Amino acid sequence: YQRRVHGAHQTPWLFVTSSFDRTVKLWDIRMDCRVPITVRESENGNVTCCFSDDDRTLLASAIDNEVRLYDIRMDLIRKFDIPQRKSNTNYTRSYFLNSSDYILVGSYEEDCVHILNTYTGKKLNDVQIDYPNNSQRTDINIQSLRGDPHHPFNFSVLVAYRDVDMCEIIHVDMLKSADED
């Protein structure tokens, strides 16, 4: 890598890395680890990468809502259609939800999490991340997010609030009705 590695994820024998040098590299740890077995490039610097639950596909996300799905041979399956903000600091992260049928996408300069169908790319929902006490402020920065492996359509988001120098983890249960809050 020419720049720092920002994301890494491992299956039993395969290891995937991503970097701001705009590459995603797939490594086989049973082989010579000085040379990746496959390299793919993105348009922007990469922020995260991860394998699906069945280890047959991987998800890579780059700056400004560039999210791509690859099969294990690193053939591009889909580039997700998420509007870009034309910002080089809109650090985007994406992860699979539970069974890998859906993905979560959150970006530093946005206050919502996009839920997309992994296979079709169609948007299921946008989940608005609200400021504490339902204030109307818009200075939320999504730092990270993960699907709950034990509960369908549940995930957590690490957010930072610029004006109050505070971070917190917000849990979202998409199956819970608004009346249950």
Side-chain angles (χ1 to χ4, degrees), residues 68-101:
R68 296 171 187 253
L69 181 72
Y70 297 95
D71 70 14
I72 203 64
R73 296 178 310 271
M74 293 287 278
D75 294 326
L76 180 65
I77 296 173
R78 164 171 296 98
K79 180 178 178 189
F80 291 91
D81 186 23
I82 304 168
Q84 294 186 314
R85 299 176 66 91
K86 306 298 182 208
S87 169
N88 63 358
T89 58
N90 192 29
Y91 302 109
T92 302
R93 291 145 178 97
S94 60
Y95 294 94
F96 291 99
L97 264 175
N98 305 82
S99 65
S100 300
D101 292 337

Side-chain angles (χ1 to χ4, degrees), residues 103-155:
I103 64 167
L104 303 167
V105 179
S107 297
Y108 183 74
E109 295 178 3
E110 298 178 23
D111 60 358
C112 74
V113 174
H114 308 287
I115 314 297
L116 303 165
N117 183 294
T118 303
Y119 308 107
T120 65
K122 291 184 180 179
K123 185 188 300 183
L124 172 68
N125 199 0
D126 280 341
V127 177
Q128 188 71 33
I129 305 299
D130 294 322
Y131 197 83
N133 304 322
N134 295 320
S135 171
Q136 294 299 321
R137 297 181 179 166
T138 59
D139 51 2
I140 292 175
N141 299 122
I142 294 177
Q143 303 289 309
S144 189
L145 66 166
R146 296 290 190 285
D148 182 332
H150 306 292
H151 301 96
F153 294 101
N154 278 248
F155 61 93

